[in-house]
Amino acid sequence: MASFPDCVNKNDLDKAKFIGELLVSVAPFDQKSGREAWTVAFAPNGSYFAWSQGHRIVRLIPWTKCLRSFSLSAGEEGTNPTSPQRLSRQDSVGSLTVPLADEPREHTIDCGDVVWGLAFGSSVPEKQSRCVNIEWHRFKFGQDQLLLATGLNNGRIKIWDVYSGKLLLNLMDHTDVVRDLTFAPDGSLMLVSASRDKTLRVWDLKDDGNMVKVLRGHQNWVYCCSFSPDSSILCSVGAGKAVRLHLSCFVEILLEILCSCL
């Protein structure tokens, strides 16, 4: 899976060039990371880059600091400015730049199982929860709070506070691998998960992670899901020749686009 921050102009993607490579720190004694990396994601505001480094570890990298490190590395090379730079993301002591006091902190999260899906979410205060009894909420998500959802091999979804690394919610209704996650871009903290159990599930994080809907219809594994920019349509694809489109109310299937056989 690939990801771009919201500030990227999609019309400029044809001008993209390879500027560098992030490498996992060499630690042969550490069996928790260093295997296949299944997914990456940018925070909506571009502050963080999340990278599943294999098995159960997710590394959260302050993106501005990372770009500055690439820039310094390229300057020190002094050779071909168009050649990509390799940067090993180790701890802050071994990094090329010293973080400022108000900069986001680089850190890792041990999710406890293989990580397949990542998604950032941030709240808009005026967006209300589906839950009427808002006084029952354990969490109050502020506008400056940033969440990371991780989809795991055991079917669980863990929700983390990005800045503190604290586990906030553990969602456990899926019965197989959670392949993909997506937040509604309207700031409502509605989360949709796609799973090998052939379902998509809709979660209201402002209602303590209550599952509000199960979307069925896929006959095989569901691989990926995504919202339209205005959050009105959810689309999903799986191990079949169709794209399924769902209304934002998550009640009915609006359209199914069949792929022609080659």
Side-chain angles (χ1 to χ4, degrees):
M1 297 296 297
S3 175
F4 293 96
D6 292 346
C7 61
V8 171
N9 186 340
K10 303 301 188 295
N11 295 325
D12 294 335
L13 295 183
D14 59 337
K15 305 174 184 176
K17 63 179 181 179
F18 180 44
I19 63 170
E21 183 177 15
L22 301 177
L23 303 175
V24 178
S25 302
V26 178
F29 55 85
D30 183 4
Q31 298 301 313
K32 295 180 181 179
S33 63
R35 302 181 184 181
E36 288 119 333
W38 289 106
T39 183
V40 292
F42 277 101
N45 60 3
S47 61
Y48 268 101
F49 172 73
W51 170 23
S52 71
Q53 293 194 318
H55 201 48
R56 48 196 269 185
I57 300 298
V58 172
R59 183 171 290 274
L60 290 161
I61 302 172
W63 188 238
T64 301
K65 173 186 171 184
C66 184
L67 287 180
R68 190 164 64 246
S69 297
F70 275 122
S71 177
L72 287 174
S73 177
E76 291 173 357
E77 291 291 333
T79 55
N80 183 2
T82 62
S83 63
Q85 304 299 318
R86 290 173 174 261
L87 183 63
S88 177
R89 302 307 303 173
Q90 300 178 1
D91 56 29
S92 57
V93 176
S95 61
L96 293 172
T97 57
V98 178
L100 301 176
D102 58 346
E103 278 192 336
R105 180 175 59 91
E106 179 177 333
H107 58 287
T108 60
I109 295 175
D110 187 341
C111 297
D113 206 343
V114 177
V115 180
W116 285 85
L118 293 173
F120 283 97
S122 56
S123 173
V124 174
E126 59 268 21
K127 288 290 182 178
Q128 297 298 317
S129 167
R130 285 169 168 257
C131 181
V132 177
N133 301 298
I134 58 175
E135 68 274 9
W136 291 357
H137 292 178
R138 289 179 296 162
F139 304 107
K140 291 186 182 296
F141 297 108
Q143 192 171 12
D144 60 343
Q145 192 166 18
L146 186 61
L147 306 180
L148 178 69
T150 56
L152 306 182
N153 193 68
N154 59 10
R156 296 191 179 190
I157 302 167
K158 292 186 177 181
I159 311 297
W160 310 84
D161 182 294
V162 170
Y163 300 122
S164 68
K166 178 182 178 182
L167 177 62
L168 300 177
L169 294 167
N170 192 0
L171 313 178
M172 299 183 288
D173 285 277
H174 278 297
T175 59
D176 209 334
V177 175
V178 177
R179 285 294 306 265
D180 194 29
L181 298 161
T182 184
F183 278 96
D186 61 3
S188 62
L189 288 186
M190 298 297 294
L191 175 69
V192 177
S193 55
S195 173
R196 284 185 182 176
D197 64 11
K198 306 177 185 178
T199 70
L200 296 115
R201 295 174 190 254
V202 185
W203 316 83
D204 185 355
L205 298 195
K206 286 189 175 180
D207 186 18
D208 294 340
N210 179 44
M211 187 181 67
V212 299
K213 186 68 180 177
V214 180
L215 299 176
R216 307 182 190 276
H218 282 278
Q219 302 302 310
N220 298 287
W221 295 354
V222 189
Y223 289 149
C224 184
C225 56
S226 182
F227 275 101
S228 61
D230 63 357
S231 302
S232 65
I233 299 292
L234 173 74
C235 63
S236 60
V237 293
K241 296 182 179 296
V243 177
R244 301 182 71 86
L245 304 181
H246 313 263
L247 290 172
S248 60
C249 60
F250 309 117
V251 173
E252 62 178 289
I253 296 174
L254 178 64
L255 179 65
E256 182 173 295
I257 304 174
L258 296 178
C259 301
S260 59
C261 296
L262 298 179

